[in-house]
Amino acid sequence: MDGGKRVNRHSTGGLVAVAVLSLTVAGCGDGDGADRGTSAPGTATTPAATSPAPETSPAPSPTRTYPLSTAPATIPAVREHEPARGPGWKPGAGSAVVVAKGSGALADEARLLAGELKTAYRGEAAARPGDVELALNTGQAGGPESYTLTTRDGKVRISAPDEAGAFYGTRTVKQALRSGGTVPEGVVRDRPAKPQRGLNLDIARKHFDAAWIEDRLRDMADLKLNQLVLHFSDDQGFRIASTSHPEVVSKDHLTTAQVRRIIALANRLHIDVVPEVDSPGHLGAVLRAHPQLQLRNVQGTPRQGAIDISKPESARIVDDLIREYAALFPGPWFHVGADEYQALTVRDPAASYPQLARAARQEFGGNATVEDLATGWLNDRAAVANAAKKKAKAWNDGFFAGGTVTANKNIEVEYWTGKEIGAREPVSYLAEGRKVVNLNDEYLYYVLGEPNEFTYPTGRRIYEEWTPRVLRGSSAVPERYAGQILGGRFAVWCDLADAQTQAQVADGIRMPLRATAQKLWDPATPELTWQQFQALSNKLGGSGA
């Protein structure tokens, strides 16, 4: 923990105080005094004393106190809760959502919450009893996604240094009402452990319709996830409309208008949508329209999905696509792929692909290898993304050690596997000072049809075994590298596209995604058991394995 008072974290545990009722020795009052409150569920009451009292004494009703509150039950669990005595908060007949003076930037978040709670939205106005107030406090400590949620005096106040934090506070209000009927009295101080938390979705091999993707965004937002990566180009399909190369687009695809609607919804929900144009492998859909660019070995045999990176036209087409989609997607990242290039899966790449070996030597010197040429390709594609003001991401098996050319240090390593030829341990990337995102295929890969020894991951394994430091297999890297691990994503891959319907995919990933969200928000061992976590998910509307 990094400060604050961590008193309890979920509604099934925590401190419970003995209720004490204060009674004044009084006459036979009528029990309708002004200090009588509305009982909270489970609050004990005691009849007024019946002993005669001096005529000068008032005749008050008994006052109620409440047990110490416990933290709101949410997924992910809040990091800190300071308990207090009180009835908590729930919307009533006169309740509204308001924004504090000078916090008009939170109007969208406030309107969304008001609609979800079925209350009024009064705009920038003073909070009244029964209201929820959202406030920006740029000087508040904790980072842009942190927030403080205070429940007292019949009101809820959410303050945050940035809009994202205020939005996450509204998700806590929404979930607390679903799980417990009230927002508990007290103060929540909450923030994520990792800045990147999300879902990777393969829409290239399987076409998912726009409405289904939008439903995933809404689910992600309630889980405080903030990143959706769309892998929309692969051997089986190219699934987003293109103006630069319309010839590569598959029949079933998302239109530009649909993508803009997806992005607009994601922006309202504080989720960055990241495009991925994977190269130099996984380009089969592009190569069907440009067969002259397909990589062929010395015998003339084509390699599926692999583009010939010795040909200048190959770079031109891929760069056209990167620039086009960098303009369409406004977020800060672009994924350039770099995994599973088939030229590097043979025993002797230089002998099998002499044109690549020649190009490597011409560009990088006499000692350069095909791996160096591939690394140069990665750097060049990342540079195109950088020129479009995007940070580049690439899969870990596109980074090679010991060559003439080194991958640029500002490319984020998306670590997914240790099964590739010449596999390196995760620590080797971290020891180079690289920033890494966790997509460990042992825990976080949901591969349709379960080919190649994959099995559908369960939420329980993620919840009980995985942490962001478990990058490969089931072993964690040393704690000293924790700061270089930027977060992680749960990934859906559609290798056997017809193995599940859209509805089955949504149901199958529900609990794994919830477990992933919990462990990225707080990598500490969860306080709820898996069974309790499942029960809470059911209260919040979740189900699944």
Side-chain angles (χ1 to χ4, degrees), residues 305-446:
I307 201 166
D308 190 333
I309 60 176
S310 70
K311 295 182 176 182
E313 189 184 349
S314 297
R316 284 196 293 270
I317 286 178
V318 173
D319 290 349
D320 286 345
L321 295 170
I322 291 174
R323 293 187 186 99
E324 177 179 0
Y325 295 109
L328 178 61
F329 289 82
W333 290 281
F334 200 104
H335 203 308
V336 297
D339 63 311
E340 297 182 318
Y341 187 44
Q342 294 298 305
L344 298 174
T345 63
V346 296
R347 185 182 60 81
D348 188 346
S352 294
Y353 301 98
Q355 75 275 32
L356 300 184
R358 285 193 302 271
R361 291 190 296 271
Q362 289 169 1
E363 187 166 357
F364 301 113
N367 293 324
T369 66
V370 176
E371 286 184 350
D372 289 315
L373 188 68
T375 302
W377 172 277
L378 168 61
N379 286 342
D380 289 345
R381 307 297 72 78
V384 173
N386 294 159
K389 299 183 178 176
K390 307 291 184 185
K391 302 173 195 172
K393 292 175 170 290
W395 299 112
N396 67 285
D397 50 326
F399 293 77
F400 304 101
T404 300
V405 184
T406 301
N408 290 340
K409 287 289 180 69
N410 62 355
I411 304 172
E412 294 178 4
V413 179
E414 304 255 300
Y415 196 95
W416 72 281
T417 188
K419 300 184 177 79
E420 74 278 7
I421 292 177
R424 290 195 285 155
E425 292 292 335
V427 166
S428 70
Y429 301 86
L430 296 164
E432 294 173 356
R434 297 187 184 277
K435 301 293 180 67
V436 176
V437 179
N438 191 326
L439 287 97
N440 183 340
D441 65 349
E442 172 73 17
Y443 291 92
L444 304 179
Y445 262 37
Y446 191 93

Side-chain angles (χ1 to χ4, degrees), residues 460 511 529-539 542 544-545:
R460 182 169 191 162
M511 286 308 297
T529 66
W530 172 248
Q531 290 74 19
Q532 290 170 328
F533 189 79
Q534 280 185 306
L536 174 57
S537 178
N538 290 336
K539 278 188 176 182

Side-chain angles (χ1 to χ4, degrees), residues 88-149:
W89 179 90
K90 61 182 176 181
S95 294
V97 181
V98 301
V99 295
K101 185 177 180 180
S103 299
L106 297 177
D108 285 347
E109 290 76 13
R111 286 192 186 96
L112 176 61
L113 182 63
E116 292 168 330
L117 301 183
K118 297 180 171 57
T119 65
Y121 167 61
R122 290 208 316 272
E124 200 167 318
R128 304 169 186 167
D131 287 352
V132 178
E133 179 187 43
L134 276 59
L136 280 177
N137 180 0
T138 55
Q140 184 172 315
E145 294 184 300
S146 67
Y147 67 93
T148 299
L149 189 156

Side-chain angles (χ1 to χ4, degrees), residues 7-16 68-73 81 83 527-528 532:
V7 180
N8 57 59
R9 291 173 54 194
H10 55 77
S11 62
T12 61
L15 302 176
V16 179
L68 278 174
S69 61
T70 54
H81 177 250
E527 293 189 7
L528 295 182
Q532 290 170 328

